[in-house]
Structure formats: C-alpha cells, structure tokens
C-alpha cells in the first residue's frame, strides 16, 4: 500500500514512504513526543502484567524508601526525577538522592533508580518490534543512563516467540527493561524508536522495514 509518514526525526528507511506529491492511503504517526506520560505508561505496563520500578510523586515515594532504609528493610535508593514525562532517549530527567529530590522537587514524578550493571557498565535490554519482526538489543554506558554518553549497542538476536507482547497493537515500538534480582522490570514504552545504529539495519533493508509497517495498516 502507499503509506505516508508523520514524524519529527529521520531514520534510514524514511525514503520508502509516500512523498509530498503522492496521496497516501494511510499515515504512520512516528513522533518522538507523541505518547503516554511516564506515569500513565507505567500504570499501563503494570496492567499488562509487567513488573515495573516503584514510582509516584517524590513527596510520596521518597519517604517510603527512606523509612525502609532506616528500619533496615531496604537499601537507600536514589530517585530518577522526571521533569518532562513525554521525553525518551534519556532526556528530561535527573538522578537525585531521596533527600535532594524531597527538598527541591516534592511535586515532581519520580521512579526508584534501579542500577543494573554488567562488566562495570550500566545496562538495559530493549525489545524492538517492527511489524511482525522482533529483536533484542543490549544498551550499555558509563553514564547512569544506559542510552546516554558513550553508548554501546549490542544486537542480541531475533525473538522467535510469536506471542511475546502480542497484546500491544502498534506497527513499531520498543520496550526497555532493567534486570534486577533475576527478573526484568519494564522501564519505558516508546512508539517512535530510532532503528538506525542498532544493528537491525544490517538485518532488515529499509524496504523491508517499510513493508512490515505497511502490513500493519492492511
């Protein structure tokens, strides 16, 4: 089909979409800032059955973590304070201690910081779905955010389990996870992930990406 695109960034397969001189049969909306707020997203992921880090307003979350630490029932975790709940790719947030967050941003939204490391680097896993194709990637960095700074992206392979995330109906999306205590915690859901630079472009030609996205609209 003749599919158009509405986007606010470029990727390696974009030239396959309908040009401005064509009348597309449908429009693929791929805007980086078009999606759920961070709070709504984490509630939605929980409703789907995923485990997520603890979250909430700083004034509610920080005292719980501090009390658990003082009572010897937990470690003193930092908070990821989100100033822009629509941002992705490591933007719009800051890592703060519970005390700093309480003093400076008590009304801000925050999540408990889970430090997942591998070989001395902070790491996360990404499940990337393009139409019917599904891939696993590993992001690592010396920054506290695995997708910022000197980032290394490892292509881990293609997912063969057909019913993984089958309940999420979207042509393109990425789910980011942290590994903690032997289980995966869902951290982010992004309907406009950039594919270029992940290694997937070595597996799928731009035309294949376009065809997979087009099949969704058919």
């Amino acid at each position: 089909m003749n599919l158009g695109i509405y986007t606010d960034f470029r990727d390696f397969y974009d030239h396959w979409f309908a040009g401005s001189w064509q009348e597309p049969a449908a429009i693929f909306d791929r805007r980086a800032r078009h999606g759920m707020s961070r709070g709504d997203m984490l509630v939605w992921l929980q409703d789907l059955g995923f485990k997520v880090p603890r979250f909430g307003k700083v004034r509610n979350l920080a005292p719980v973590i501090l009390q658990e630490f003082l009572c010897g029932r937990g470690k003193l975790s930092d908070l990821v304070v989100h100033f822009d709940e629509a941002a992705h790719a490591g933007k719009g947030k800051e890592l703060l201690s519970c005390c700093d967050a309480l003093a400076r941003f008590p009304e801000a939204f925050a999540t408990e910081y889970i430090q997942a490391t591998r070989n001395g680097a902070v790491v996360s896993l990404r499940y990337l779905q393009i139409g019917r194709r599904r891939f696993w990637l590993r992001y690592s960095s010396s920054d506290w955010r695995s997708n910022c700074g000197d980032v290394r992206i490892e292509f881990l392979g293609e997912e063969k389990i057909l019913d993984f995330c089958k309940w999420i109906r979207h042509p393109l999306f990425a789910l980011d996870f942290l590994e903690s205590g032997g289980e995966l915690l869902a951290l982010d859901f992004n309907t406009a992930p950039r594919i270029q630079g992940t290694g997937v472009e070595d597996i799928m030609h731009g035309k294949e990406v376009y065809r997979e996205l087009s099949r969704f609209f058919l």
Side-chain angles (χ1 to χ4, degrees), residues 117-130:
T117 60
R118 184 174 183 267
N119 297 328
V122 172
V123 299
S124 65
L125 293 173
R126 167 163 286 194
Y127 172 87
L128 174 65
Q129 184 155 325
I130 308 167

Side-chain angles (χ1 to χ4, degrees), residues 130-141:
I130 308 167
R132 301 169 300 172
R133 303 285 295 274
R134 299 160 295 273
F135 306 94
W136 283 100
L137 311 167
R138 181 187 290 121
Y139 286 68
S140 59
S141 174

Side-chain angles (χ1 to χ4, degrees), residues 5-84:
I5 186 170
Y6 181 32
T7 185
D8 50 11
F9 67 93
R10 296 185 62 82
D11 213 334
F12 79 102
Y13 59 93
D14 288 0
H15 60 283
W16 288 100
F17 289 94
S20 58
W21 62 93
Q22 299 170 295
E23 184 65 33
I27 297 291
F28 170 45
D29 191 341
R30 193 196 66 192
R31 287 176 288 171
R33 295 185 56 82
H34 182 64
M36 293 177 279
S37 69
R38 182 70 52 169
D40 289 342
M41 175 199 305
L42 291 172
V43 170
W44 178 71
L45 288 171
Q46 275 188 320
D47 290 342
L48 289 179
F50 290 106
K51 294 186 177 180
V52 301
R54 289 188 288 184
F55 61 90
K57 293 275 190 181
V58 169
R59 59 178 167 82
N60 296 324
L61 180 59
V64 172
I65 294 175
L66 288 169
Q67 182 66 26
E68 288 178 352
F69 173 71
L70 292 174
C71 294
R73 292 187 284 110
K75 63 179 182 178
L76 186 56
S77 304
D78 291 331
L79 296 182
V80 179
V81 181
H82 293 266
F83 306 106
D84 183 354

Side-chain angles (χ1 to χ4, degrees), residues 157-212:
E158 187 162 2
E159 175 65 71
K160 300 300 183 183
I161 300 176
L162 298 179
D163 61 351
F164 189 88
C165 293
K166 65 180 180 180
W167 51 87
I168 299 179
R169 298 293 299 161
H170 200 276
L172 172 68
F173 67 88
L175 269 169
D176 293 331
F177 297 92
L178 294 175
E179 188 172 2
S180 177
E183 60 185 11
L184 292 180
L185 302 180
L187 194 68
D188 188 38
F189 174 72
N190 185 355
T191 57
R194 190 184 301 274
I195 300 175
Q196 188 169 11
T198 64
V200 173
E201 68 267 35
D202 298 327
I203 307 297
M204 293 182 72
H205 186 271
K207 190 173 183 179
E208 289 181 274
V209 174
Y210 172 78
R211 283 176 174 172
E212 283 297 323

